[in-house]
Amino acid sequence: MSGPAVLRESGHFFAFCLDTLRGLGRRPVQVREFVQQAWFISSVSILPAALVSIPFGAVIALQLGSLVRQLGAQSFTGAASVLAVVREAGPIVTALVIAGAGGSAICADLGSRRIREELDAMEVLGINPIHRLVVPRVLASMLVAVLLNGLVSVVGVSGGYLFNVVMQGGTPGAYLASFQALGQLPDLLVGEVKALLFGAAAGLIASYKGLTAKGGPKGVGDAVNQSVVLTFMALFALNFVVTAVYFQLVPQKGS
């Protein structure tokens, strides 16, 4: 894709985001569509997120346990593992699962409606597809991401705790005490903020690619692939920005 085409596509996406933001305050509120989408996204995301978070927490605990043992700081294993899961791994795992499972389904659904000209029919009837279809899906992605992040964090921390205590011979009391010494409430809050932003990004990108799909069923498949790839790229960029702002604004314990 050429430079002007990239700029044009970025402008269209930015305008789409503004239209979606404007649609949040419009009435009537699509409560039924929101509940259905939230239930669908959560149903396809809970089990994969829980299963993925266990090895994430275990790998973090094993790697950090080996590192801090070499540095002679075994007492801080719990703090390092829990903070890594809560601040970084939890929101990222949540976003990747939602983008891969829920986002791809959203894009495929809207894309199929586009090629069947259902969206054109809605516009002819005076129904705004963004207000009717996109806004509930984006809000559902945000809500499920925030709730799912809590589940992923709990499962990841539990997995890291078990692997550290059972496989590495760590002390349960020291694991928990170190986290209490270095952890703070903003660490949990920034994880939830990240999950909220990641869920919004996943919903917006999937909806945009679905609404702009063209070229028949092959075009819908291409749109789904593009939405997943673009969402992953946006997630890591957002994660870097939010983390950098967090460390600038919130003083860390022990520093």
Side-chain angles (χ1 to χ4, degrees):
M1 186 179 293
S2 61
V6 172
L7 293 176
R8 184 166 52 252
E9 191 74 10
S10 301
H12 291 164
F13 176 71
F14 183 72
F16 170 79
C17 293
L18 292 180
D19 291 339
T20 304
L21 184 62
R22 243 189 340 258
L24 295 177
R26 291 189 56 187
R27 298 293 185 272
V29 180
Q30 306 297 327
V31 178
R32 181 176 180 181
E33 186 76 15
F34 167 75
V35 172
Q36 289 177 346
Q37 292 301 317
W39 172 254
F40 170 74
I41 295 174
S42 60
S43 65
V44 299
S45 302
I46 288 179
L47 183 59
L51 294 178
V52 171
S53 62
I54 295 175
F56 254 85
V59 169
I60 290 174
L62 291 174
Q63 294 289 344
L64 290 178
S66 301
L67 178 61
V68 297
R69 186 180 297 110
Q70 295 175 13
L71 299 176
Q74 294 91 331
S75 59
F76 293 102
T77 302
S81 301
V82 174
L83 291 178
V85 171
V86 172
R87 284 199 311 219
E88 299 296 334
I92 290 178
V93 169
T94 301
L96 293 181
V97 171
I98 287 183
S104 59
I106 291 174
C107 182
D109 176 40
L110 296 179
S112 62
R113 291 171 184 254
R114 171 60 70 187
I115 65 173
R116 292 198 303 264
E117 299 182 350
E118 292 183 15
L119 301 182
D120 297 330
M122 292 177 64
E123 293 174 350
V124 170
L125 295 174
I127 301 174
N128 188 348
I130 293 180
H131 175 250
R132 179 64 178 82
L133 300 175
V134 174
V135 171
R137 284 162 171 78
V138 173
L139 291 177
S141 299
M142 297 169 64
L143 175 65
V144 174
V146 171
L147 299 179
L148 198 60
N149 179 63
L151 172 65
V152 170
S153 298
V154 170
V155 175
V157 170
S158 301
Y161 172 83
L162 291 176
F163 273 82
N164 177 261
V165 173
V166 175
M167 298 186 63
Q168 295 181 316
T171 305
Y175 189 96
L176 298 176
S178 64
F179 171 65
Q180 293 176 353
L182 296 181
Q184 51 186 342
L185 181 60
D187 296 324
L188 176 62
L189 296 180
V190 72
E192 294 293 344
V193 170
K194 285 183 179 181
L196 185 70
L197 294 177
F198 294 168
L204 286 170
I205 294 175
S207 299
Y208 175 75
K209 298 305 293 185
L211 289 180
T212 57
K214 54 186 177 181
K218 182 181 182 300
V220 175
D222 293 339
V224 171
N225 292 334
Q226 293 172 10
S227 70
V228 174
V229 173
L230 292 174
T231 302
F232 286 2
M233 296 171 61
L235 295 183
F236 288 107
L238 277 174
N239 183 58
F240 172 78
V241 173
V242 175
T243 302
V245 172
Y246 171 74
F247 282 125
Q248 290 293 325
L249 297 180
V250 180
Q252 301 300 300
K253 282 187 176 181
S255 59

